[in-house]
Structure formats: structure tokens, C-alpha cells
Amino acid sequence: MELAIEALSLQKRYAEVQAVAGINLQIARGEYFGMLGPNGAGKTTTVAMIYCFLPIEGGELYVLDMDVRKQARAIKARLGVVPQENNLDEELTVLENLLIYASYFGIDRQTATKRALAQLEFFELTAKQHVDVEALSGGMKRRLTIARAMMNEPDILILDEPTTGLDPEARHYIWQHLKQLKKTGLTLLLTTHYLEEASQLCDRIVVLDEGRILEEGQPAALITQHVGATVIEATLPQREHDSLLQTVQALLNGYMVIGETLYLHPGYNITTVLAKVQEHSKVETLTQRPANLEDVFLKLTGRRFGGA
Amino acid sequence: MHNYFQAFLSLNRYAWRVFARNMAVFKKTYKANIAFNFFEPLLYLAAMGMGLGAFVGSINGISYVQFIAPGMIASSAMWAASSECTYDSFVRMKMEKIYHAIVVTPINLHEVIAGELFTGTLKSVLYGSVILLVITGLGLVTSFYALLVPFVLLLCGIIFSELGMIWTGLVAKIDSFSYFFTLIITPMYLFSGVFFPIEALPDIVQTVAWFLPLYHVVTVLRSLVLGLISPALFGHILWLLCFAILIFPLPLLLIHKRFIK
Ligand SMILES: Nc1ncnc2c1ncn2[C@@H]1O[C@H](COP(=O)(O)OP(=O)(O)OP(=O)(O)O)[C@@H](O)[C@H]1O
Ligand SMILES: [Mg+2]
């Protein structure tokens, strides 16, 4: 397997905080790889080391078989980077943004124009090409930032929270574009808060918390392994939890408690568990839904994804 | 020490690309900016030259307005470079995150700063030259040596870009830039021989003035504009050249220290 990115006990600390506490990553070429984690998990710090913005502090890091400590310039020439915060040239037009960005790579004007028009076409921004960036919507700005990152025809596209703050429609729109790029053999490294985003796009994910990798695998496999297909949510007063659990515990793969809510993982015993919960007189609300990555996260950390 | 010398390697084509980016933005906005930038020196020229000039009469055999006119070129150039590399650079670095956008391409941070310094320098030459044209139109230029003014402004521009950028590397907040202007730029403006010959001041002030870059700029510009050429000018030019080169690495190293954690 040819590796796009390899990190060996990678570390980074800011004055007080150990932001990345020794992580190992192996991302294959052509893979769509996701880093999931709550605020402050160390996602941005990790990807910023990969795109050679932050110097690494401990461990080793190779990108496209090059050492980030020695070959930053050559690595950066092969990357496309979409940072967490938009940093387009607001005073310039959409097209100018792409052309200027291409000039940073030393791409000649003619090639740059050709690529820029193709990218605008692909990201459906052609109609906006002569509009100043200031006037674009959030979703369009994000698409333009991705288009910009594609100007050097990168081997690896790094996206730090590409859809945070966008409405669901704009988000799906971006996913659709990113999925199409997979055919070109692109490697994608994505950080996200959205478990759905990771499930939709990624072949493989890691769950990161407090600078450590908690779990790694295919999204669906992680869900099956840790939770099972279905989750039953029941709310009832906390003092009644034990009495309910006594009746169902033997049937469960596992469960989680957050406040008044019980998250039951019934595995294959869905109907039996559901019946028992319905019988319990103190249950106030009851829902059955497909398990998702949030449940995995909850199980792994005992916390909700938002950190609450 | 190694880093100090390494910084000079940033004077390369990558820095040039950053400069080209800034020029592309400047091309779209210069109309609004350039008008403001030469308004103020002209105001001074009118107020001081005509107002004060009526009382002062002549200095060293030339009229007062003729005396201060070359100083207006220098001050316009100085303000252009200093504000470019303080406020404008700060906005690009902290607010618009332009540095962040650039350093993830093959360009590194030192080259970004070098490109910023080129930008300050170009604006300095430009805004200084506009004043030169204006005072030429007013008949205040008496020598063809004035054609060399833009070359001197190159030195003036790089020095004040460097000083502004050093401050940007040192301060944490945009509010602190006013200190740069109150503590450094304005005193320099007043005591570098723009408004009166510093030979009139006590020896100690003259000694201090020798350490101010603007003093050397003003002296050279005045000589060129009035055609008073002497070998002493080479001393001033050499001073400016050495100063520009010696401090060049400082803004690069300071911003780097501040920007990359
Ligand atoms: N420049 C900095 N100086 C000091 N501490 C920092 C800095 N940047 C990040 N940190 C800290 O390092 C930790 C990891 O931050 P990082 O930005 O990598 O997290 P993240 O997973 O990207 O979070 P988010 O989802 O909020 O973007 C956090 O505790 C954060 O407060
Ligand atoms: Mg982040």
C-alpha cells in the first residue's frame, strides 16, 4: 500500500496544552480519511502539521514520502488546503482569487486561466466569476476555497471543517462535489464535527479526543462494533433508571446514560427490549432510531459530541 | 545568527509572487487611496510654506516653501511605507488571514514578509514621486538631479517598511500602532530637518538626528531637488543602505516568532 500520509507518535504542545499527544496515522493514497472530534480535540493542530504550517514537536511525519521537517516546500506544492477559517481575498473577484492563488505555485497565466475556468465550472460558480468575493454566500465562499485548493492539481486535499456553519443544503452540495473528486484518485483528509459528514464521505475515520486517537476504522464497522444497528432512547426520572435497567440489561449489548436519557443498544433484541421499556410505567418518551457515529463517540468518551 | 543570515535568502521569486499579489489588490483600490495620501503633505506645504513662510523669509538663501517641499516628498514616502507595514499588514495577517492562505502554498512566511516589505517600498516610491510631480508643477524643483529622487525613495521605502513591520512583529494589538506613530514616526518627522535646518539646534540634537533615517533621506532629497550636489551625499546614501540591509532580517524573524506557535 502506498501511503499518502504517515504519522508516528506525532506530538504538539502549546504553552499549557498538549494539543496532540502522540498519534499514529497511516492514510493510503486515494483514500478518503476523516478525523472526528469535539472542539479542542486537536484536529486543526494535526492537519496544520501535515500541511507544514506548524512545526512538529515529537515523533515523525511523512507526507507523500517526504519528511515535513526537511521538504516542506516540495510537500506544499502537492497539497490543496482548505483551512478552518475562510481566507479568500475579499477585494478580488472569484476568478482573480483563483489566478492569484495559482501564481503562488508559479503556474503560468494561461494554464491557470484554463484550470480556473474548469474549477468554476465544476463547483458551479461560473456565473459568479467576475463578482467580488465579498458578495458571495457562505456556501459559495466555501466552494470557492475548495476550488482554489484544487488549482495546483494536488495529490492530497486537506479540508479542515469544510462545512461548519453552512446550512444542510449547502453542506450536501459540497459533499456531492467532493464525492465526485474521488474518481480522480485524489486523497482526501477531512476534519469534522459532523458525524454524518464522516459517514457520507470517509472510507475510514479516527475519533480524536484530547489529542489522542480513541478509535479507528470504517464508519459503519465502528457503529456495528460498538453499538449495533439500532439505538433505543428512553427518558425517565434518574431514580427509575435502575429499575428499568434491571429488566432489560441482560438483553443489551450496552447502554449509556446522559442526564435523564438512557441510550440502550439492543443489538438483535430490538422488539423484546422495546416491549419491556414500554411496559415500564415511568418512561416519558421513547424513540427507536438507527445508530450513528455519535453513539460510538458517546460510548467511547461517556460524553456527547458537543462536549456537554 | 544562522537565522539572521538565512533571512536574506527570502529575497527570491517567492517573495516576488507575494508582492505581485499585493499589487493586484492595490490596482483595484489605488484610486481611493492615492488621493488621500498626497492630500496631507500638500496641506502641510500650503499651511507651513505659505503661512509660516511669510514670517520665515528665506533659509540658506532659498524660500521657506522651497525648503520644506523636498521634506514633503520624504514624509509622504515615510508615511506610505509605515502605514502599509503596520495597519495594512496587520489586517492581512490577523483579520483577513492572507498570510495563512499563502504559507500553505510553496511560499514560506519569511518570503511573505519580504513581499510585504517590497509592497511598502513600492508605495513609498509611488507616493513620494507623486509629491515630486506636484512640487515640480509648482515650480519648486530647480535641478534635473530630481530625477534621482525615486531611487532614494527606494531606500526610504524599504527602511520604513522594515521599521513598521518590526513594530507589527512586536505588538499584539492593532491599537498599539498609534504608539509607533506617536513615539517614532512623528518625532522623526519633526526632528529630521523637514521643517527647519537641524544645524539650528543644539549639538546633542544634531547627534541624535544623525541616527534618524529620515534625516538622511531629507538631506539627500533636498540636495537633489535643489541641485546642491556634494560628495557628502554618498555618506548619507551609504548610511541608508547599511541601515536597510542590517535590519532587514529583524521583521522576518519577529513575525515568524509571533505567527507560528
Ligand atoms: N495557538 C494556540 N495557542 C495555544 N493553544 C492552542 C492554540 N491553538 C490551539 N490550542 C489548543 O490546543 C488544543 C487543540 O486545538 P485544535 O485547534 O487543534 O482543536 P480542534 O480539534 O481543531 O478544535 P475545533 O473543533 O474547535 O476546531 C485546544 O485545547 C486548543 O485550545
Ligand atoms: Mg479546528
Side-chain angles (χ1 to χ4, degrees):
Chain A
M1 182 175 67
E2 253 194 305
L3 289 181
I5 296 168
E6 181 171 34
L8 302 164
S9 59
L10 186 62
Q11 287 165 37
K12 179 82 192 177
R13 86 176 286 121
Y14 302 106
E16 313 264 283
V17 193
Q18 185 75 41
V20 176
I23 66 172
N24 295 301
L25 288 175
Q26 291 199 319
I27 302 171
R29 298 207 186 189
E31 190 172 23
Y32 271 32
F33 189 90
M35 287 178 49
L36 263 150
N39 286 120
K43 304 181 296 294
T44 297
T45 306
T46 305
V47 294
M49 287 190 281
I50 292 170
Y51 61 68
C52 309
F53 176 70
L54 292 174
I56 72 172
E57 214 167 73
E60 290 177 57
L61 181 56
Y62 300 93
V63 179
L64 299 166
D65 298 321
M66 293 180 274
D67 186 338
V68 292
R69 278 172 297 206
K70 298 187 189 123
Q71 289 161 283
R73 207 190 299 270
I75 291 172
K76 290 192 292 176
R78 304 301 327 132
L79 299 183
V81 178
V82 176
Q84 187 166 351
E85 291 175 84
N86 273 339
N87 53 18
L88 294 159
D89 274 314
E90 299 273 333
E91 302 104 322
L92 299 179
T93 66
V94 167
L95 181 61
E96 286 167 340
N97 261 276
L98 297 183
L99 296 179
I100 295 234
Y101 201 75
S103 77
Y104 299 152
F105 292 85
I107 299 166
D108 69 80
R109 190 76 176 191
Q110 203 185 349
T111 315
T113 310
K114 217 166 66 194
R115 284 188 197 172
L117 294 175
Q119 287 303 331
L120 292 177
E121 178 85 36
F122 180 73
F123 284 98
E124 300 177 51
L125 288 165
T126 306
K128 299 281 178 188
Q129 59 176 305
H130 298 302
V131 170
D132 280 352
V133 168
E134 276 171 331
L136 298 186
S137 71
M140 286 181 193
K141 280 188 190 172
R142 220 49 191 150
R143 260 146 58 209
L144 178 59
T145 310
I146 302 174
R148 187 179 73 168
M150 295 300 293
M151 283 300 289
N152 60 322
E153 300 186 335
D155 295 323
I156 307 175
L157 180 61
I158 299 178
L159 305 154
D160 196 354
E161 296 190 21
T163 64
T164 300
L166 302 186
D167 63 42
E169 193 188 336
R171 184 174 301 153
H172 278 276
Y173 204 50
I174 286 181
W175 292 347
Q176 196 186 314
H177 285 101
L178 291 174
K179 279 181 190 168
Q180 283 184 51
L181 289 173
K182 193 160 179 32
K183 292 182 226 119
T184 64
L186 182 74
T187 306
L188 189 120
L189 170 59
L190 165 107
T191 81
T192 184
H193 289 277
Y194 299 117
L195 303 131
E196 192 194 352
E197 183 159 87
S199 312
Q200 286 265 346
L201 288 174
C202 299
D203 303 317
R204 208 152 56 90
I205 59 163
V206 289
V207 179
L208 208 63
D209 194 29
E210 296 179 342
R212 287 173 210 284
I213 293 178
L214 298 181
E215 195 47 277
E216 172 170 359
Q218 295 171 343
L222 286 178
I223 295 169
T224 320
Q225 179 193 336
H226 288 281
V227 186
T230 306
V231 172
I232 295 172
E233 288 184 21
T235 49
L236 68 170
Q238 253 160 356
R239 64 191 134 76
E240 303 291 340
H241 283 187
D242 280 344
S243 66
L244 174 60
L245 284 170
Q246 268 169 14
T247 64
V248 293
Q249 197 152 10
L251 300 165
L252 297 178
N253 287 347
Y255 68 91
M256 289 298 310
V257 188
I258 301 258
E260 304 219 308
T261 311
L262 276 173
Y263 297 82
L264 308 175
H265 307 158
Y268 294 110
N269 305 323
I270 303 170
T271 13
T272 0
V273 172
L274 213 49
K276 297 237 183 235
V277 177
Q278 274 160 343
E279 278 165 27
H280 195 281
S281 60
K282 295 290 173 357
V283 171
E284 289 155 9
T285 66
L286 175 61
T287 24
Q288 176 195 342
R289 58 166 173 81
N292 59 38
L293 280 174
E294 168 125 30
D295 300 304
V296 176
F297 185 79
L298 196 62
K299 175 104 180 263
L300 291 173
T301 66
R303 291 188 284 129
R304 265 188 175 291
F305 198 73
Chain B
M1 220 43 205
H2 174 250
N3 287 346
Y4 178 89
F5 290 112
Q6 196 98 46
F8 288 98
L9 297 177
S10 310
L11 294 163
N12 58 23
R13 66 177 193 281
Y14 295 101
W16 192 258
R17 290 174 192 167
V18 176
F19 172 69
R21 177 263 165 209
N22 287 344
M23 285 305 105
V25 175
F26 181 57
K27 256 191 236 155
K28 295 194 75 172
T29 54
Y30 79 97
K31 284 187 198 106
N33 288 330
I34 207 159
F36 274 115
N37 269 283
F38 75 96
F39 185 66
E40 190 170 305
L42 290 182
L43 213 57
Y44 271 93
L45 195 63
M48 303 293 231
M50 292 190 278
L52 201 54
F55 296 95
V56 176
S58 68
I59 294 178
N60 303 337
I62 54 171
S63 73
Y64 186 63
V65 70
Q66 231 175 347
F67 178 85
I68 62 167
M72 292 304 110
I73 302 176
S75 72
S76 176
M78 170 179 78
W79 285 97
S82 329
S83 55
E84 178 68 26
C85 290
T86 50
Y87 290 107
D88 295 345
S89 290
F90 186 87
V91 167
R92 285 194 283 270
M93 173 167 67
K94 282 281 168 183
M95 320 250 182
E96 303 177 338
K97 316 266 174 203
I98 301 296
Y99 292 8
H100 198 288
I102 302 177
V103 298
V104 304
T105 74
I107 301 172
N108 68 36
L109 185 59
H110 282 185
E111 289 148 359
V112 172
I113 305 305
E116 293 276 87
L117 296 176
F118 295 166
T119 309
T121 305
L122 180 109
K123 291 201 175 171
S124 193
V125 173
L126 200 64
Y127 291 145
S129 301
V130 168
I131 304 295
L132 175 65
L133 287 179
V134 172
I135 66 170
T136 307
L138 294 172
L140 299 171
V141 174
T142 56
S143 163
F144 279 106
Y145 279 107
L147 290 171
L148 299 175
V149 165
F151 297 100
V152 182
L153 292 179
L154 274 175
L155 287 172
C156 172
I158 188 80
I159 287 171
F160 284 98
S161 299
E162 289 165 348
L163 293 177
M165 213 62 179
I166 287 173
W167 192 271
T168 304
L170 290 173
V171 304
K173 300 215 171 64
I174 198 159
D175 312 320
S176 328
F177 287 128
S178 57
Y179 293 116
F180 177 65
F181 290 94
T182 333
L183 296 176
I184 295 178
I185 297 298
T186 305
M188 193 148 11
Y189 190 31
L190 295 175
F191 294 100
S192 291
V194 172
F195 297 106
F196 47 83
I198 59 163
E199 292 74 33
L201 296 174
D203 281 351
I204 176 74
V205 181
Q206 294 191 39
T207 312
V208 171
W210 189 85
F211 288 96
L212 304 179
L214 190 64
Y215 163 70
H216 300 278
V217 173
V218 171
T219 309
V220 175
L221 290 185
R222 186 169 288 132
S223 307
L224 293 176
V225 166
L226 300 174
L228 306 168
I229 305 307
S230 76
L233 292 186
F234 289 103
H236 294 294
I237 298 275
L238 193 65
W239 189 102
L240 291 168
L241 199 59
C242 292
F243 189 78
I245 293 171
L246 283 174
I247 66 168
F248 172 77
L250 302 182
L252 279 62
L253 301 175
L254 283 168
I255 300 267
H256 194 276
K257 196 168 156 216
R258 164 157 190 206
F259 192 67
I260 295 184
K261 292 282 169 5

